[in-house]
Amino acid sequence: MKHAAIVGIGAYLPERRLTNADLERMVDTTDEWIVTRTGIRERRIAADHETTSSLGAEAARAALGDAGLGPADIDLIVLGTSSPDHIFPSTAALVQARLGCTCPAVDVMAACTSFIYALQHATSSIESGRAKRVLVIGAEVFSRLIDWTDRGTCVLFGDGAGALVLEASDEAGVLGIELGADGTGADVLTVKAGGSAFPATVERIEAREHLVQMAGSEVFKFAVRVIPEAVRAALASSDLSVADARWFIPHQANQRILDTMADRLGVPHDRVFSNIANLGNTSAASIPLAMNDLYTTGNLRPGDVLALVGFGAGLTWGAAVVRWTKGAR
Ligand code: ACO
């Protein structure tokens, strides 16, 4: 059986920065509250002409360039998002057209866990022999789903995209993945209207039901419970333990969640990667953006074991263990 190995990585961030000082002028909040409660100082916001597919395509182009490959070399695109351009067509199909690829393309929607679910889809496609090279993308323009009058959510999220190219290899890159879902927690974090359950109407839009609604502390408690369990399970399925991982790369939702994760896993805080201060919560994009930050700053060495973990609406969660087989940057 072939394994899936990472041969390319790339990212794209919109230019515009929204700082905590900017938010102080928009809602009843303070820089001090946001930094203390979340660790976030600024986030990127897509320009009017940008969309999830345009961000995703830019990140994918960078990953293809990093791998030294072109559009014709890719035989599957799997895109994780919770802010698709449209309900349909899929954002992955739009990215495929933007890149000039001709391969199949599909969206995976598991909120902030979308990237780990997309990685599972891509890895399985390679391991089964159905694909040789797969683009795995996490892309979000979450700013369009945010209620900019709700201080409980608008301070948290940002826009961005990250992408990996996976290739069939004799060397194991993706070692193990553990996924979970608990739909009984669906109401905790939701964009309620705009689908078949609650089609968009003037009344629902006036009630802001087409925007993110979140019970923040419920999500927090869920996250700190499932993250250590998922990481340990994914490491165990790869015959590894916490001590074997050089980097823990969690979905960037809240610095306090990352610190609690480090404490519960018993690892030093500096092995739990964080770029949340600069990017906020970019949902499905946060894990590949974090990997790209580590790569471009020369912090990934061949053989490093990375423990990725995502969690979010659904409720959903997932962890993946990856061996970095690409060279150092
Ligand atoms: N500025 C100032 N005060 C605020 C703000 C703000 N931006 N937001 C909330 N508050 C107030 C609340 O109104 C509340 O005031 P009250 O006590 O007078 O009622 C007080 O601060 C405490 O509110 P809590 O919600 O209890 O604050 P908490 O410490 O839980 O922090 C937060 C809130 C940051 C949202 C936290 O719960 C969190 O990060 N939860 C996880 C969220 C998350 O990760 N979501 C994404 C998941 S991924 C996905 O699938 C999209």
Side-chain angles (χ1 to χ4, degrees):
M1 182 187 84
K2 287 286 188 188
H3 301 283
I6 297 169
V7 296
I9 182 164
Y12 176 79
L13 291 169
E15 299 244 316
R16 184 178 159 215
R17 292 162 199 264
L18 184 73
T19 65
N20 291 351
D22 296 327
L23 283 161
E24 283 179 348
R25 290 187 283 275
M26 295 163 61
V27 288
D28 179 15
T29 192
T30 60
D31 172 59
E32 200 261 332
W33 191 96
I34 301 170
V35 172
T36 325
R37 305 307 292 167
T38 73
I40 301 167
R41 293 182 184 275
E42 63 177 32
R43 62 294 283 149
R44 301 296 184 95
I45 303 293
D48 288 348
H49 67 277
E50 291 181 311
T51 63
T52 299
S53 69
S54 75
L55 269 55
E58 288 299 329
R61 268 191 206 103
L64 284 171
D66 182 54
L69 298 171
D73 298 315
I74 296 299
D75 44 20
L76 175 65
I77 297 171
V78 189
L79 183 142
T81 190
S82 37
S83 51
D85 283 22
H86 315 282
I87 287 185
F88 62 80
S90 71
T91 304
L94 301 177
V95 168
Q96 184 245 36
R98 284 175 183 273
L99 294 176
C101 295
T102 53
C103 60
V106 67
D107 283 0
V108 171
M109 290 186 69
C112 298
T113 322
S114 297
F115 186 77
I116 302 290
Y117 270 80
L119 188 65
Q120 156 86 323
H121 187 134
T123 301
S124 302
S125 300
I126 288 176
E127 290 176 347
S128 66
R130 291 184 189 279
K132 286 202 174 69
R133 292 198 187 101
V134 184
L135 260 172
V136 194
I137 305 167
E140 301 281 12
V141 180
F142 227 80
S143 59
R144 308 253 164 86
L145 299 181
I146 293 300
D147 180 349
W148 289 101
T149 66
D150 174 13
R151 68 178 182 172
T153 51
C154 75
V155 302
L156 301 174
F157 295 97
D159 301 334
L164 300 177
V165 180
L166 295 189
E167 188 173 78
S169 166
D170 293 328
E171 204 176 4
V174 182
L175 304 178
I177 301 184
E178 291 287 316
L179 302 176
D182 175 8
T184 64
D187 288 344
V188 170
L189 181 51
T190 178
V191 174
K192 195 170 166 185
S196 60
F198 301 103
T201 61
V202 171
E203 293 73 24
R204 289 197 178 105
I205 289 171
E206 280 172 355
R208 310 184 92 75
E209 291 178 5
H210 62 304
L211 301 173
V212 171
Q213 298 174 339
M214 179 175 77
S217 61
E218 293 305 310
V219 179
F220 194 103
K221 282 183 257 172
F222 151 74
V224 297
R225 178 173 54 80
V226 297
I227 291 173
E229 288 170 10
V231 168
R232 284 207 173 87
L235 283 163
S237 75
S238 317
D239 290 326
L240 295 169
S241 71
V242 166
D244 296 308
R246 176 160 150 73
W247 288 108
F248 295 85
I249 307 180
H251 165 49
Q252 308 281 306
N254 185 319
Q255 187 59 44
R256 288 187 295 139
I257 293 177
L258 307 196
D259 293 342
T260 308
M261 165 187 177
D263 293 341
R264 294 199 175 174
L265 286 171
V267 299
H269 286 208
D270 62 5
R271 270 173 60 209
V272 177
F273 181 76
S274 174
N275 58 9
I276 194 168
N278 300 326
L279 301 184
N281 178 345
T282 57
S283 189
S286 74
I287 292 173
L289 280 169
M291 294 173 78
N292 188 66
D293 266 3
L294 280 167
Y295 176 58
T296 54
T297 51
N299 280 301
L300 293 184
R301 296 188 302 241
D304 279 351
V305 170
L306 316 178
L308 322 176
V309 61
F311 56 89
L315 297 165
T316 56
W317 61 93
V321 178
V322 172
R323 192 180 298 281
W324 190 255
T325 47
K326 248 176 92 58
R329 170 96 169 212

